[in-house]
Amino acid sequence: MKGPDKIYVREFAEGLNQMWSHIKATETSAIAQHEYIRKDALLEWAEEMKEQVGLGLNAYDMGEENGKADMLNALIDKINSM
């Protein structure tokens, strides 16, 4: 079973609520609502973007695209280290 890509945790005056929801609350007595994303969902997106970076480019464009690929690789490495 795959978990939701985003969850929301509500914070009340007495502390964080132990319950979470995949639906963002529009009206609540919470003092704050914290949004968290699933690490794997972000990694999947970054890998897809990395695959698309070099598609259909000529030699002139490759320098800029290599820089984009390097940034995506750094992002993927950072997420994996968390």
Side-chain angles (χ1 to χ4, degrees), residues 25-81:
T26 54
E27 292 184 26
T28 180
S29 60
I31 58 174
Q33 181 169 242
H34 305 280
E35 180 178 326
Y36 296 91
I37 60 170
R38 188 172 57 87
K39 177 179 166 179
D40 291 340
L42 187 54
L43 282 170
E44 289 168 13
W45 172 84
E47 289 288 349
E48 288 174 12
M49 292 296 103
K50 186 175 142 184
E51 289 176 13
Q52 293 179 15
V53 164
L55 297 178
L57 297 173
N58 59 35
Y60 178 80
D61 295 328
M62 286 308 292
E64 180 182 340
E65 299 309 315
N66 286 337
K68 289 178 182 177
D70 289 343
M71 289 186 340
L72 284 167
N73 284 330
L75 173 65
I76 290 167
D77 290 343
K78 179 65 177 177
I79 294 168
N80 279 322
S81 72

Side-chain angles (χ1 to χ4, degrees), residues 7-21 28-36:
I7 63 168
Y8 302 92
V9 177
R10 291 171 192 81
E11 182 178 355
F12 296 91
E14 53 277 351
L16 289 177
N17 187 343
Q18 293 182 3
M19 300 296 289
W20 58 269
S21 173
T28 180
S29 60
I31 58 174
Q33 181 169 242
H34 305 280
E35 180 178 326
Y36 296 91

